[in-house]
Amino acid sequence: MTTKLSVNINKIATLRNARGGDVPNLVKFAKDVQAYGAQGITIHPRPDERHIRYQDARDLKPIVHTEYNIEGNPIQKFMDLVLEVKPTQVTLVPDAVDAITSNAGWDTIKHKDFLTEVITEFKNNGIRTSIFVDPILTIIDGAKAVGTDRIELYTEEFAHQYSLGNTKAIQPYIDCAARANELGIGVNAGHDLSLENIQFFAKEVPNLLEVSIGHALIAESIYLGVENVVNMYLNKLK
Ligand code: PXP
């Protein structure tokens, strides 16, 4: 099976915001990466709007003709935005307001009632749900209990270990994806995936539906060009 590539375009917004103008243009960038073959666009608006602004989520809606994925912590402001924009998928992330980037998955047992309520609201509005989780079997069982359509496996630890040559670090991801598959939950993955580690990860993890990749993809594009890099990912995900 082919794993879909969703390009996280937060870094493009960061670059734009550094000068306060509209260069690079986020909408054009999203159109271009889709034209190059990416099968999804991901954004992660944070409450301080330091990269993606809430208005960006609205501006992107008419031009994203692939999978539109909006990630974030489901505070009321975020929920209102997602319910207004109606992307293909919402990915719930328990990130603190001041976190540099997402740094933990949900405790699906502790936050069962909250997650169930939020997930039900999104699903009732026709939006597919995914929740960001660490690769822990009890957390995957908890994900089933809250009714999510998908999980997104938090891959930072895998990426770190893989860079050290520890390929065995893939095992919890294989086990958790297999459990999710058994339970009828779809599996996405993201965080610190790169041209270096993506092929191994996607080959080993069963039925990986989608990866969202931002930081490495943009950094690699500085040297190799965006179109080229998107195609390199697509080839590795085949
Ligand atoms: N998934 C989630 C939930 C994230 O918060 C991020 C970073 O915004 C990513 C995936 C993408 O991670 P990276 O930028 O390291 O590719």
Side-chain angles (χ1 to χ4, degrees):
M1 68 169 280
T2 298
T3 302
K4 285 186 176 169
L5 171 67
S6 185
V7 176
N8 177 317
I9 59 173
N10 273 25
K11 282 281 156 1
I12 301 304
T14 306
L15 190 57
R16 175 198 62 191
N17 297 353
R19 274 294 179 93
D22 194 27
V23 177
N25 181 282
L26 194 74
V27 167
K28 177 176 177 347
F29 189 84
K31 281 183 184 167
D32 288 343
V33 290
Q34 292 178 106
Y36 302 152
Q39 297 108 336
I41 297 291
T42 291
I43 58 170
H44 191 142
R46 287 195 160 82
D48 60 7
E49 301 189 87
R50 64 180 184 268
H51 32 60
I52 294 291
R53 300 181 186 130
Y54 277 42
Q55 187 55 38
D56 291 327
R58 300 184 183 102
D59 294 345
L60 287 162
K61 170 73 177 178
I63 67 94
V64 178
H65 56 80
T66 57
E67 298 233 338
Y68 190 13
N69 177 42
I70 304 185
E71 302 174 343
N73 195 328
I75 57 172
Q76 193 59 50
K77 195 176 156 195
F78 175 86
M79 291 198 58
D80 292 345
L81 177 75
V82 174
L83 291 169
E84 176 196 335
V85 173
K86 289 202 173 17
T88 323
Q89 173 177 272
V90 61
T91 300
L92 308 178
V93 186
D95 55 348
V97 172
D98 55 353
I100 293 175
T101 182
S102 310
N103 52 14
W106 287 101
D107 182 335
T108 52
I109 297 149
K110 188 169 163 193
H111 298 293
K112 180 178 177 200
D113 292 346
F114 174 69
L115 284 170
T116 304
E117 192 184 317
V118 170
I119 285 167
T120 304
E121 174 84 4
F122 286 128
K123 285 172 75 168
N124 285 345
N125 281 276
I127 302 166
R128 191 173 75 215
T129 59
S130 179
I131 57 174
F132 194 53
V133 291
D134 287 294
I136 301 168
L137 287 173
T138 51
I139 295 290
I140 309 303
D141 292 340
K144 177 68 183 172
V146 301
T148 190
D149 300 303
R150 293 194 186 183
I151 51 167
E152 179 182 327
L153 293 171
Y154 175 28
T155 48
E156 183 186 0
E157 183 60 16
F158 156 74
H160 176 62
Q161 294 298 332
Y162 186 83
S163 72
L164 302 174
N166 179 12
T167 52
K168 290 202 171 63
I170 192 74
Q171 198 56 49
Y173 296 86
I174 297 174
D175 296 344
C176 285
R179 175 70 64 90
N181 289 336
E182 271 166 36
L183 295 171
I185 303 173
V187 178
N188 299 339
H191 221 287
D192 287 330
L193 295 173
S194 69
L195 282 175
E196 195 190 314
N197 59 33
I198 190 64
Q199 193 161 27
F200 178 78
F201 189 84
K203 190 160 71 68
E204 295 292 326
V205 173
N207 294 321
L208 181 63
L209 298 175
E210 176 187 302
V211 285
S212 67
I213 308 184
H215 185 79
L217 187 149
I218 303 301
E220 290 151 351
S221 297
I222 293 172
Y223 286 98
L224 302 170
V226 181
E227 182 169 7
N228 195 19
V229 166
V230 167
N231 277 295
M232 289 167 83
Y233 276 99
L234 295 176
N235 279 327
K236 288 176 186 288
L237 289 168
K238 263 181 201 157

